[in-house]
Amino acid sequence: MPYAAAVITVSDRSSRGEREDLSGPIAVAALREAGFVCDEPIVIPDGADEVEAAIRAALTDGIRIIVTTGGTGVGPRDETPEGADRLITRRIPGIAEELRRRATAEKPAGMLSRGIAGIAEGAFVVNLPGAPTAVEAGMPVIVGVAAHVLGQLQGADHRHADHHQGEER
């Protein structure tokens, strides 16, 4: 049975309908292409409380892979990592570091992303920047390890990283 995934776009302007969400659909397409079940993106306003509530709702719905896009910068309303950190109990810093490395290769401002990655209630949670180029660069990292992360959470032998993407074992 495929793992369920969710994409949460964090953007004041997109949540008000002032700007089209370009990043969320890229993440959804990558997850679906990798074999995960994923609905259309959920679009919410910026803010730690909003991010925490949206991630909590996804966890309650049984979602196992949660990708946020947006709200990872240094602006006053960029509080996605703070909201995610309220629920993440085990960080996976190597994923966040690789996502920053790839975003920075696209443009130097990529190093300003404060996104985190980790485990929350048995789910894999990752924060991506809001720029479509950063999402395009980051999604291969996420889909490349997601099934392995979830397999380890279920007690799978971590020496065998040959899980089929999107398939529960």
Side-chain angles (χ1 to χ4, degrees):
M1 186 169 163
Y3 288 113
V7 174
I8 301 166
T9 297
V10 184
S11 166
D12 284 335
R13 286 182 284 175
S14 292
S15 71
R16 291 191 301 255
E18 297 170 7
R19 182 176 67 187
E20 182 183 357
D21 173 20
L22 300 175
S23 297
I26 294 169
V28 168
L31 287 161
R32 288 176 178 166
E33 191 172 304
F36 300 105
V37 175
C38 190
D39 288 338
E40 293 303 308
I42 300 155
V43 182
I44 63 167
D46 284 288
D49 292 343
E50 290 77 4
V51 170
E52 178 188 11
I55 293 172
R56 189 177 303 282
L59 292 169
T60 300
D61 287 346
I63 302 297
R64 302 295 306 283
I65 302 161
I66 302 167
V67 177
T68 68
T69 173
T72 63
V74 296
R77 302 262 307 139
D78 289 336
E79 297 179 344
T80 297
E82 288 76 8
D85 195 46
R86 294 176 185 175
L87 298 168
I88 289 175
T89 53
R90 298 170 72 195
R91 285 207 187 191
I92 309 173
I95 292 171
E97 290 161 8
E98 176 63 8
L99 293 171
R100 267 187 284 284
R101 186 189 71 75
R102 288 182 181 217
T104 302
E106 296 291 322
K107 60 180 185 178
M111 70 182 80
L112 300 178
S113 173
R114 300 177 308 107
I116 62 174
I119 306 305
E121 297 178 22
F124 179 39
V125 180
V126 184
N127 303 148
L128 286 172
T133 54
V135 176
E136 287 170 358
M139 285 308 297
V141 173
I142 295 169
V143 300
V145 299
H148 187 61
V149 169
L150 294 172
Q152 283 192 29
L153 288 173
Q154 294 176 340
D157 185 341
H158 61 86
R159 289 174 298 183
H160 295 94
D162 60 353
H163 297 296
H164 290 85
Q165 287 310 106
E167 277 187 27
E168 259 186 77
R169 295 262 183 199

